């Protein structure tokens, strides 16, 4: 009996020694909230998981690092002006989402074209044309209305890291009423930048656009964007791109629009594991009745693309790969700088190739355009990052 009393006393002492501070370990951190404006982004800052509003064009200046934790939701509002998140050259944007807890940038009205999306400027090389004597032009002015000069000399430059990020309802026409922003816009962004598991959802312009630079992007979803799903120019040369998926529905132009400002480059991008799908009934964007093809090459656009699946491009006159003009055909197709490898076109009515003008015939060198019935296209990890309002964006993959 004495032993039992002693044990009970000991237990009492143990519990009595526990203070209220021991319970704090299990207390979840407070959720973040507030408004993000240009005025309050003047120093490096981490936004903890929470819900925020974005007001105006917020610029991350050189020397400033902005970080968003997983699970954060940032909402723009078309009624308060032109909202966008813009990384200037020398600024850093780090977004650390996960498949289960992505970081979502959306807009209050859920209307395409309501804000400017994420815009990133780096310090990597571009080629935006040639002078009259043939000298390459290595700078250009951004076409999004911000009129920022881009083009640098550091191919390995880093503008930060974007992982598991979704941008919804972007593509706003800004400033001049004509220039449009995309879901994601990458100007002269370098290969030190990490772009992984990104979604551009129902924007009014391109899902993703690259303006030169050397950055590569992995695991991309372009869903329901009314212009091109993927677009680039200015001699973009990312080499490690993989798992790109486009689903066009409602309205959409090219699955991929590829150009290089009429500069016959010795370099080109590489993309593996591509799926381009167009839903039945999808029409082209107003004013672009001929932009009906899965892939278009123009102005000396080139590149190597492998394990490609194309389906749904069945409008009258649509082709899987269109070569727009004779110069691109001569320099890039005949020159061996366009490679389409292991391509599966699911619709028998869709021709493999076509031209944008009369007077030339597309004939790829042996081995540069190969077809396959076993191509698999993109492979993407399911999760909340690819679900919007209960719709699984990977359902059609």
């Amino acid at each position: 009996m004495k032993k039992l009393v002693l044990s009970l006393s000991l237990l009492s002492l143990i519990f009595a020694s526990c203070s209220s501070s021991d319970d704090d370990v299990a207390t979840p951190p407070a959720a973040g909230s507030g408004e993000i404006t240009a005025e309050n982004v003047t120093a490096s800052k981490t936004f903890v998981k929470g819900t925020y509003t974005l007001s105006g064009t917020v610029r991350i200046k050189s020397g400033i690092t902005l970080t968003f934790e997983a699970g954060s939701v940032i909402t723009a509002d078309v009624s308060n002006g032109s909202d966008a998140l813009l990384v200037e050259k020398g600024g850093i944007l780090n977004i650390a989402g996960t498949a289960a807890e992505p970081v979502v940038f959306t807009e209050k009205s859920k209307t395409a074209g309501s804000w400017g999306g994420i815009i990133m400027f780096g310090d990597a090389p571009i080629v935006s044309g040639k002078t009259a004597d043939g000298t390459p032009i290595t700078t250009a002015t951004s076409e999004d209305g911000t009129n920022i000069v881009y083009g640098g000399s550091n191919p390995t430059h880093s503008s930060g890291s974007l992982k598991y990020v979704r941008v919804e309802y972007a593509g706003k026409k800004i400033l001049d009423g004509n220039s449009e922003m995309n879901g994601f816009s990458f100007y002269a962004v370098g290969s030190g930048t990490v772009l992984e598991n990104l979604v551009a959802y129902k924007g009014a312009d391109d899902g993703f656009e690259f303006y030169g630079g050397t950055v590569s992007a992995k695991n991309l979803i372009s869903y329901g964007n009314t212009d091109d799903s993927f677009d680039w120019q200015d001699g973009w040369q990312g080499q490690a791109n993989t798992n790109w998926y486009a689903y066009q529905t409602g309205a959409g132009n090219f699955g991929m629009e590829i150009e290089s400002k009429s500069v016959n480059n010795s370099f080109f991008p590489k993309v593996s594991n591509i799926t381009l799908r167009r839903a039945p009934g999808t029409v082209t964007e107003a004013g672009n009745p001929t932009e009906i093809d899965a892939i278009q090459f123009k102005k000396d656009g080139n590149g190597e693309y492998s394990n490609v699946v194309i389906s749904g491009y069945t409008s009258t006159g649509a082709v899987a790969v269109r070569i727009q003009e004779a110069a691109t055909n001569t320099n890039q197709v005949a020159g061996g700088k366009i490679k389409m490898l292991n391509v599966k076109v699911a619709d028998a009515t869709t021709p493999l190739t076509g031209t944008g003008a009369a007077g030339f015939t597309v004939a790829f060198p042996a081995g540069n355009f190969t077809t396959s019935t076993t191509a698999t296209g993109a492979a993407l990890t399911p999760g909340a990052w690819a679900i919007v309002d209960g719709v699984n964006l990977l359902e059609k993959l």
Side-chain angles (χ1 to χ4, degrees):
M1 187 66 177
K2 291 182 179 180
K3 291 183 179 179
L4 178 58
V5 172
L6 179 61
S7 298
L8 289 173
S9 300
L10 181 60
L11 286 173
S12 298
L13 286 171
I14 291 172
F15 285 115
S17 68
C18 294
S19 68
S20 60
S21 63
D22 294 309
D23 298 329
D24 295 341
V25 176
T27 302
S33 63
E35 185 179 48
I36 303 171
T37 68
E39 288 73 23
N40 63 23
V41 180
T42 57
S44 296
K45 184 175 182 178
T46 294
F47 291 93
V48 299
K49 177 182 176 180
T51 56
Y52 302 90
T53 58
L54 182 70
S55 182
T57 299
V58 176
R59 298 186 178 217
I60 304 173
K61 299 288 187 177
S62 180
I64 300 296
T65 298
L66 213 60
T67 301
F68 289 91
E69 290 185 348
S72 295
V73 177
I74 301 90
T75 303
D77 187 344
V78 68
S79 68
N80 68 14
S82 296
D83 300 335
L85 183 60
L86 187 152
V87 185
E88 295 188 359
K89 183 170 72 173
I92 297 290
L93 176 60
N94 290 326
I95 304 181
T98 66
E101 290 192 300
V103 174
V104 178
F105 291 81
T106 190
E107 195 279 325
K108 186 177 179 181
S109 71
K110 297 187 176 184
T111 303
S114 294
W115 73 294
I118 293 177
I119 307 166
M120 184 173 280
F121 288 84
D123 192 36
I126 73 164
V127 180
S128 64
K130 288 186 177 182
T131 62
D133 64 1
T135 302
I137 300 171
T138 57
T139 61
T141 301
S142 63
E143 66 174 33
D144 56 9
T146 60
N147 298 318
I148 295 175
V149 175
Y150 63 99
S153 58
N154 182 3
T156 61
H157 181 262
S158 174
S159 297
S161 174
L162 309 185
K163 292 185 177 181
Y164 290 102
V165 182
R166 189 167 70 239
V167 168
E168 304 174 352
Y169 313 113
K172 184 178 179 66
K173 293 182 179 181
I174 62 166
L175 299 181
D176 58 8
N178 182 50
S179 301
E180 293 176 330
M181 295 175 167
N182 308 293
F184 293 85
S185 303
F186 302 113
Y187 288 92
V189 175
S191 63
T193 308
V194 176
L195 305 177
E196 295 180 0
N197 299 93
L198 310 181
V199 179
Y201 178 81
K202 290 193 175 181
D205 200 55
D206 302 326
F208 299 85
E209 185 153 8
F210 300 85
Y211 301 85
T214 54
V215 69
S216 294
K218 300 177 180 179
N219 310 328
L220 305 186
I221 301 173
S222 179
Y223 191 103
N225 296 291
T226 60
D227 195 355
D228 308 311
S229 298
F230 304 102
D231 190 353
W232 59 90
Q233 56 185 284
D234 296 327
W236 174 60
Q237 52 185 307
Q239 296 292 293
N241 305 280
T242 190
N243 292 324
W244 287 16
Y245 167 50
Y247 186 71
Q248 296 180 304
T249 180
N253 295 332
F254 299 115
M256 295 168 63
E257 185 177 36
I258 301 166
E259 67 163 289
S260 191
K261 294 289 182 68
S262 299
V263 178
N264 184 12
N265 294 310
S266 59
F267 53 81
F268 47 79
K270 295 181 180 180
V271 188
S272 64
N273 308 326
I274 304 166
T275 297
L276 305 175
R277 298 199 189 280
R278 174 170 283 180
T282 300
V283 298
T284 57
E285 185 182 34
N288 296 303
T290 61
E291 297 187 358
I292 54 178
D293 309 303
I295 303 173
Q296 182 210 43
F297 291 92
K298 67 178 180 180
K299 297 182 179 179
D300 280 312
N302 55 19
E304 180 179 310
Y305 310 90
S306 58
N307 190 26
V308 183
V309 173
I310 295 170
S311 68
Y313 293 84
T314 56
S315 301
T316 301
V319 299
V321 176
R322 183 173 299 279
I323 308 301
Q324 190 64 26
E325 47 313 82
T328 300
N329 189 53
T330 298
N331 296 335
Q332 309 306 323
V333 176
K337 296 178 184 178
I338 297 177
K339 296 182 180 181
M340 302 295 307
L341 308 176
N342 194 22
V343 179
K344 178 182 179 180
V345 180
D347 308 288
T349 58
T350 303
L352 291 180
T353 63
T355 66
F360 67 95
T361 300
V362 177
F364 280 83
N368 279 13
F369 196 127
T370 61
T371 60
S372 170
T373 59
T374 59
T376 56
L380 295 165
T381 301
W385 75 289
I387 298 175
V388 182
D389 295 334
V391 177
N392 180 4
L393 307 187
L394 300 181
E395 184 178 8
K396 305 295 184 180
L397 180 57

